[in-house]
Amino acid sequence: MNNNIPHITVVAAYFYPKIGGLENYAYLLAKKLQESGRYKLSIITSNYAGSDYHKEVIDGMTVHRLPILLKVSNTPINLSWYWRVKRIYAIEKPDLVHVHSPVPYLPDVAALAAKDIPVVLTFHSGSMLKGIWHIDTLIALYEKIFLRKLFSRANAVVAISREYARRVFPQFENKTYFIPTGVDLKRFTKTPLPETEVVTYVGRIEHHSRWKGIEELIQAMAIVIKDRPQVSLEIVGGGDALEHYRERVAALGIAESVKFSGPQIGANLVEAYQRSSVVVLPSTSDAEAFSIVLVEAMASGRPIIGTSIGGTPQVIEHGKNGLLIPPKDPKKLAEAILAVLSDKSLAVSLADTGAQKAQSFSWDTQADKYADLFETLLKKTNV
């Protein structure tokens, strides 16, 4: 170990400041572990904002950004990465490698290049199938062969979706741990519900992420607005499908009631939750694991609505801290939104219970769980 402080190298296809659930999780966890003083952290990721290798320091962590040669769906690829990762390992000398998946290739390459270094895999998804046949063919092949190899290679697996890991990879249950996403409880704090009626979506707005359910949400909002014209929808996030959804809300005749706020971070994201009357996650695929958006919304004192798919039922207890509805059902989604907006006592009850539940998801707690897991693996390695 380096200077008696174990060195952890974190590997993720994308990393802060790129916005996304996995990206936030990887960054905030790494930052917490670095701040704890128990570990030294370095990062290997893709250079999503440029075409060359780039090295920088973020919050005391050295970040190596590798050049992307091409993308397949959302997956960055470069055939040189195996050798680049090996060179970075030689420089950083990690005692443990922590890879984040399911965005393929870079985590797989990094785990392979680690050789005898212990590897922890955090798997952030259920199935990655997107309902697009030509992409799903490749994904199914990856999940059947290469993802299984990645699970097998890992010394420990942290599952964000407990149900998916147990159902699909039961043979690895003896080394699988469940550590849900965390929330910064100093930033996201409970505030009173607003007088205005605002439905909020926070997440990616990309063609390859159509499973996020934005289409179903705007169809539901067309029903809601017909019943309650004062209601508005705020869509927080960015991506290559923005123009598509602007055209869709215009076609549905609700453009004046829909605001596209773009990507929001820091205080701007906190304020977006504070403007909200209810936060909706209308996902249509098991690719939705344990959503950080829902946890942030709960911590902010907002009722939440999600679909009974993926890891969402692990977050939402129907009727207690939110409402669960079937996926791909705009009518049921509209009914759930109207139920919350038209019943203030229900909204307050859901918000209060959610805010209380969110207290168990602090990043300090989750980082401690990881630190204990890392310590256990490193002790085994050094025996």
Side-chain angles (χ1 to χ4, degrees), residues 245-258:
Y245 289 114
R246 285 196 179 98
E247 292 174 358
R248 288 292 297 132
V249 298
L252 290 169
I254 59 172
E256 292 185 1
S257 300
V258 180

Side-chain angles (χ1 to χ4, degrees), residues 59-247:
D59 295 316
M61 303 177 289
T62 301
V63 180
H64 302 269
R65 299 189 184 273
L66 306 182
I68 298 172
L69 181 63
L70 62 103
K71 278 188 182 181
V72 177
S73 185
N74 189 43
T75 300
I77 294 174
N78 192 319
L79 298 180
S80 72
W81 281 355
Y82 175 81
W83 292 274
R84 286 179 177 270
V85 169
K86 283 182 68 71
R87 287 199 293 271
I88 293 170
Y89 286 164
I91 295 168
E92 298 291 353
K93 297 180 172 57
D95 299 293
L96 184 145
V97 172
H98 182 198
V99 301
H100 292 265
S101 186
V103 180
Y105 193 73
L106 182 54
D108 303 87
V109 163
L112 182 65
K115 299 296 183 183
D116 297 327
I117 305 170
V119 172
V120 172
L121 162 65
T122 294
F123 191 69
H124 291 256
S125 185
S127 172
M128 294 176 287
L129 298 176
K130 303 177 187 299
I132 307 171
W133 73 267
H134 59 285
I135 293 176
D136 283 355
T137 301
L138 294 174
I139 291 174
L141 180 66
Y142 170 77
E143 290 184 347
K144 186 174 182 179
I145 300 175
F146 299 101
L147 183 59
R148 191 175 299 272
K149 288 182 179 294
L150 182 58
F151 267 69
S152 180
R153 165 63 183 91
N155 299 78
V157 175
V158 176
I160 304 301
S161 175
R162 176 189 284 152
E163 182 274 336
Y164 177 79
R166 286 178 174 172
R167 174 166 51 86
V168 180
F169 295 118
Q171 68 270 44
F172 303 122
E173 188 167 1
N174 64 329
K175 64 176 181 180
T176 298
Y177 303 80
F178 174 65
I179 304 177
T181 191
V183 63
D184 185 346
L185 295 174
K186 294 177 182 177
R187 286 179 58 214
F188 299 99
T189 59
K190 186 173 182 289
T191 59
L193 291 169
E195 293 300 321
T196 53
E197 297 184 357
V198 181
V199 178
T200 303
Y201 165 88
V202 179
R204 295 194 298 270
I205 310 171
E206 298 170 343
H207 288 295
H208 71 262
S209 297
R210 66 181 65 174
W211 57 266
K212 281 291 187 179
I214 300 176
E215 175 63 31
E216 287 75 12
L217 175 57
I218 60 178
Q219 288 182 27
M221 287 304 300
I223 299 171
V224 170
I225 291 167
K226 188 176 294 185
D227 186 87
R228 296 175 78 86
Q230 71 272 29
V231 179
S232 63
L233 169 65
E234 181 171 3
I235 296 179
V236 178
D240 60 8
L242 268 170
E243 192 57 37
H244 168 75
Y245 289 114
R246 285 196 179 98
E247 292 174 358

Side-chain angles (χ1 to χ4, degrees), residues 29-39 41 367 370-371 374:
L29 174 61
K31 182 182 177 184
K32 280 291 182 184
L33 291 171
Q34 176 82 6
E35 290 172 349
S36 74
R38 294 175 66 176
Y39 299 99
L41 275 291
Y370 268 103
F374 292 165

